[in-house]
Amino acid sequence: MIYFKDYLLNLFFIFSPLVLYPYIYKTKKKPLLYRFLIYTLFACALIVTMSFPTHLDGLLFDFRSIPLTLGSLYGGIPVSIILYITLMLYRLITGNPNNLIYIVSLAPSFVILLYYIKRYPTFKLRQKVLSAVLLCTLIKLITFATYLALTNHLELLWIEPITKIETYLLQALIAGLCVYLIEFLNTYFYMQEEVVNSEKIKIVSDMAASVAHEIRNPLTTVRGFIQLLGSAELDQEKKQFYQKLCLEELDRAQVIITDYLALAKPDPEVIERINVNDEVRYLSNVLLTYANYYNIQIDGIVSEDESLYIVGDKYKFRQAFINIGKNAIEAMFNGGLLAFSVKSQESHVTITVKDSGVGMTEEQVRRLGTPYYSTKEKGTGLGTMVSFGIIKKMNGKIELKSELGKGTEYKIVFPRV
């Protein structure tokens, strides 16, 4: 009668490669590294199972055939050859007798494995499980039988046959379970990769469609007005008006292209110390003309501490906050107040941008900053996405509060240096 406790250590080391298999799977695109890792794990399992055998009716019994089979099937012929060499070398090192006879006894199992290795990847799950079960059993049975026959101890094979059958069945169960788990992991990772690839394709197709749609609109408008400008009876006033509209639409196309380019390269380029108070004053002055057009006042409240510095790209920083400021101004259709304020803390600097515009719902706040989402009729959502990306790259944190009819407040916190 066999007991699981006799094989617990063997089972632990046989299943241990499965714990690291997810990391090994990621190296499949590098065949040499993948095979090296497969060999290393299964060679360790092979050596440990050989080091802690169980005495069974005058024979030393272990589960070496399981890591030998699994390593060969999933590592290929090179790994199989090295595993067999490792097995024979370790047997020689540990002082086991009749090594030449054992090599002869082991040879038929190697030939059988070579036959299956080439066909194994094309098998279905059930075939793979059955193949592993069959191979583990054949390797053990053929090797044992040949070895005992060559050493004139074949009668040991028939002593306590029930116990030996139970041991073979346990070995087959473990081998089948290992293959099932490996194939389950392979399927899971493959599906995961397919999902990621499909998401990438979807993003690219969405972006291509968005670019085509956004740029086609102003170009179509420009084309129409250019045709009108060719009319001989058109007066000078209308010509100037159409020319102005053409330039505005071309500027809009340029802004769209700029947003997409910024999306492709949002990382800071020049890392330097940025004086936050100076930048808030600069932003207030830059946005003043745009704010006057919408009848909006700008209020910049800086900190009394003039030594407030953060680290990042000054021009990317300005790009992010100008975009946020412009969005805030455009949200105040009937005039209002845009307030910038700076507060210092021991280790952080908080910049607050607050408007008295139309505000947003909770759903709009949640989706703000995602690709292709904008609360503006002609917006692409990329400007806000790029701005948020720049702030996060500078280790900034964004807190956004908004209420319909009352306005929106951004609180952006940067580490102080």
Side-chain angles (χ1 to χ4, degrees), residues 47 66 101 132 152 193 258 338:
I47 290 170
I66 298 176
I101 294 176
N152 297 318
E193 288 176 354
T258 302
L338 174 61

Side-chain angles (χ1 to χ4, degrees), residues 336-377:
L337 175 66
L338 174 61
F340 287 91
S341 63
V342 180
K343 290 183 180 179
S344 63
Q345 296 174 329
E346 186 175 341
S347 59
H348 294 85
V349 179
T350 302
I351 304 173
T352 303
V353 183
K354 188 175 182 180
D355 67 60
S356 56
V358 294
M360 293 180 286
T361 63
E362 290 184 6
E363 175 65 16
Q364 289 174 321
V365 170
R366 187 181 65 81
R367 295 185 62 188
L368 197 66
T370 57
Y372 318 116
Y373 178 77
S374 176
T375 56
K376 295 184 290 185
E377 184 180 348

Side-chain angles (χ1 to χ4, degrees), residues 130-400:
L130 291 175
S131 297
V133 169
L134 179 63
L135 285 170
C136 281
T137 305
L138 284 177
I139 288 172
K140 180 66 70 177
L141 188 60
I142 291 173
T143 304
F144 257 170
T146 307
Y147 181 81
L148 292 174
L150 293 175
T151 56
N152 297 318
H153 292 95
L154 192 60
E155 70 278 359
L156 294 176
L157 197 63
W158 312 112
I159 298 176
E160 295 289 342
I162 301 299
T163 303
K164 290 183 175 63
I165 291 172
E166 290 175 345
T167 306
Y168 280 107
L169 289 175
L170 176 60
Q171 175 184 271
L173 176 65
I174 295 167
L177 181 58
C178 284
V179 169
Y180 179 81
L181 291 174
I182 291 173
E183 290 302 316
F184 174 80
L185 290 172
N186 282 339
T187 304
Y188 173 77
F189 294 131
Y190 176 76
M191 291 176 63
Q192 200 173 43
E193 288 176 354
E194 287 297 305
V195 170
V196 171
N197 289 334
S198 64
E199 285 295 322
K200 288 180 180 178
I201 293 171
K202 184 176 183 299
I203 289 172
V204 171
S205 62
D206 286 347
M207 184 172 287
S210 179
V211 171
H213 174 72
E214 295 294 339
I215 294 180
R216 185 186 292 118
N217 289 340
L219 291 181
T220 302
T221 304
V222 170
R223 185 177 185 277
F225 283 123
I226 288 175
Q227 288 177 331
L228 290 174
L229 285 170
S231 301
E233 64 275 7
L234 196 66
D235 59 52
Q236 188 64 28
E237 185 179 349
K238 285 188 176 181
K239 282 185 178 182
Q240 291 178 350
F241 177 69
Y242 292 157
Q243 184 181 17
K244 180 184 176 183
L245 288 177
C246 286
L247 292 173
E248 286 178 353
E249 289 300 302
L250 289 174
D251 288 340
R252 188 159 73 89
Q254 184 178 0
V255 168
I256 293 168
I257 293 169
T258 302
D259 283 344
Y260 277 95
L261 291 175
L263 179 65
K265 192 178 180 182
D267 295 342
E269 296 176 350
V270 180
I271 305 301
E272 58 184 317
R273 283 161 57 90
I274 302 172
N275 187 306
V276 178
N277 282 342
D278 288 347
E279 290 305 309
V280 168
R281 295 188 188 101
Y282 173 84
L283 292 169
S284 299
N285 291 329
V286 167
L287 292 169
L288 184 60
T289 305
Y290 194 65
N292 289 337
Y293 180 79
Y294 285 87
N295 193 28
I296 291 167
Q297 293 181 336
I298 293 183
D299 188 9
I301 304 172
V302 297
S303 173
E304 294 179 359
D305 185 357
E306 288 292 336
S307 61
L308 290 180
Y309 288 94
I310 61 174
V311 172
D313 187 325
K314 181 189 296 184
Y315 298 101
K316 294 287 186 181
F317 177 89
R318 290 175 178 177
Q319 176 189 350
F321 278 89
I322 287 173
N323 197 340
I324 291 172
K326 287 179 66 177
N327 288 341
I329 290 170
E330 291 169 3
M332 294 182 278
F333 305 115
N334 300 316
L337 175 66
L338 174 61
F340 287 91
S341 63
V342 180
K343 290 183 180 179
S344 63
Q345 296 174 329
E346 186 175 341
S347 59
H348 294 85
V349 179
T350 302
I351 304 173
T352 303
V353 183
K354 188 175 182 180
D355 67 60
S356 56
V358 294
M360 293 180 286
T361 63
E362 290 184 6
E363 175 65 16
Q364 289 174 321
V365 170
R366 187 181 65 81
R367 295 185 62 188
L368 197 66
T370 57
Y372 318 116
Y373 178 77
S374 176
T375 56
K376 295 184 290 185
E377 184 180 348
K378 294 184 178 181
T380 63
L382 294 177
T384 304
M385 181 182 175
V386 169
S387 298
F388 284 10
I390 291 170
I391 291 168
K392 289 176 182 177
K393 289 289 183 181
M394 294 174 61
N395 297 318
K397 296 181 180 179
I398 305 168
E399 296 179 12
L400 182 57

Side-chain angles (χ1 to χ4, degrees), residues 68-102:
L68 187 64
T69 301
L70 296 180
S72 298
L73 292 176
Y74 287 96
I77 294 176
V79 173
S80 180
I81 294 171
I82 302 173
L83 281 174
Y84 268 87
I85 293 173
T86 303
L87 167 60
M88 291 182 286
L89 286 176
Y90 188 70
R91 195 176 187 279
L92 180 65
I93 291 169
T94 52
N96 285 282
N98 305 317
N99 287 300
L100 288 177
I101 294 176
Y102 185 77

